[in-house]
Amino acid sequence: MLLAVEGLAAAYGRIRALEEVSLHVAEGELVAIVGANGAGKTTLLRVISGVHPAAAGTVRLDGRDITRTPGHRRAALGIAQVPEGRQVWAPMLVEDNLLLGGWTRPAAERKERLAEIWAMFPRLRERRDQPAGTLSGGEQQMLAIGRALMARPRLLLMDEPSMGLAPRIVEQIFDTVERLARAGTTILLVEQNAHAALSIADRGYVLESGRIVLSGTGRELLADPRVQEAYLGI
Ligand code: ATP
């Protein structure tokens, strides 16, 4: 199993954000975690990437316990995150954002990878010499994804890539995520947009108040009346 999370808990002081969370992601899978605002989705990704400590439980990458491994080491082991709200380095050029994203890799490989990102996102290539802050929201999301891919991650964590974008752009972003998954990238995606996320996911989990309450294939969850009522407005 590429990623295996067991009995995970996390807190902010006395606020418990995650409780007894167990989930797994196999190599090549696209797994979605859906849940409402404040359910704990961002916290879960932060604990997996090592930005926030686990209060209990374990995180394993390829069988190796990384629960106490610092974030920068996890990045070197192949975990990359596309953060909520994109967080591109606004004053820096598009190209430099990407090159910095590949900091864990040797220079020659970074160049090679950059060429692949340009091929994947021609819009970014056109704008390579612009400060990232001048891009549209959708382009910044593409840049945040490209930046994470520069590290050739074994596991790509994506935090609400559709947030704050117009519906047409959201569609493009989900197309991109699906394309990446088809090309073999292993993805753990957290999303409030349950319909879009479950439609492209192999499997999914529903997170409520810090706990996993349902899991299944994307199709099973889309057809589940509890999901339909709570997240799909059906
Ligand atoms: P969102 O969609 O808003 O990002 P989320 O599902 O990602 O929501 P989290 O951001 O992980 O949820 O938050 C989970 C819980 O932890 C919430 O109750 C939230 O208020 C709380 N929380 C998150 N960050 C902090 C923080 N820095 N300090 C205190 N409490 C926090």
Side-chain angles (χ1 to χ4, degrees), residues 172-192:
Q172 283 175 17
I173 297 289
F174 280 104
D175 281 351
T176 301
V177 177
E178 195 175 19
R179 196 151 49 96
L180 289 175
R182 290 234 175 97
T185 312
T186 307
I187 300 175
L188 179 61
L189 164 74
V190 309
E191 256 300 337
Q192 276 191 59

Side-chain angles (χ1 to χ4, degrees), residues 17-149:
L18 295 176
E19 229 35 281
E20 283 290 325
V21 170
S22 298
L23 60 92
H24 61 274
V25 181
E27 195 136 15
E29 264 193 320
L30 167 52
V31 174
I33 313 266
V34 301
N37 206 339
K41 303 182 301 298
T42 295
T43 305
L44 177 59
L45 292 193
R46 288 163 55 91
V47 175
I48 294 170
S49 62
V51 179
H52 191 83
T58 56
V59 180
R60 285 199 166 78
L61 189 70
D62 245 344
R64 168 183 183 163
D65 189 342
I66 57 164
T67 318
R68 314 256 166 263
T69 304
H72 69 276
R73 288 278 314 135
R74 295 190 208 192
L77 289 172
I79 297 181
Q81 185 159 356
V82 182
E84 184 173 58
R86 312 177 253 290
Q87 299 177 29
V88 296
W89 294 300
M92 284 176 48
L93 304 182
V94 167
E95 178 162 344
D96 291 338
N97 267 265
L98 290 173
L99 288 172
L100 256 183
W103 65 274
T104 59
R105 319 301 288 187
E109 192 185 317
R110 264 196 320 207
K111 262 194 149 164
E112 213 176 274
R113 196 61 179 152
L114 190 61
E116 288 171 28
I117 304 291
W118 293 147
M120 215 180 297
F121 303 113
R123 290 284 285 191
L124 294 183
R125 176 183 217 143
E126 283 164 30
R127 284 151 211 265
R128 65 203 283 177
D129 295 328
Q130 281 180 223
T134 64
L135 300 182
S136 72
E139 290 162 355
Q140 288 190 23
Q141 186 62 59
M142 300 293 184
L143 179 57
I145 295 171
R147 181 178 59 182
L149 290 174

Side-chain angles (χ1 to χ4, degrees), residues 34 49 66 100 150 181 195 199 201 221 231:
V34 301
S49 62
I66 57 164
L100 256 183
M150 281 293 294
H195 186 266
S199 300
L221 289 174
Y231 300 99

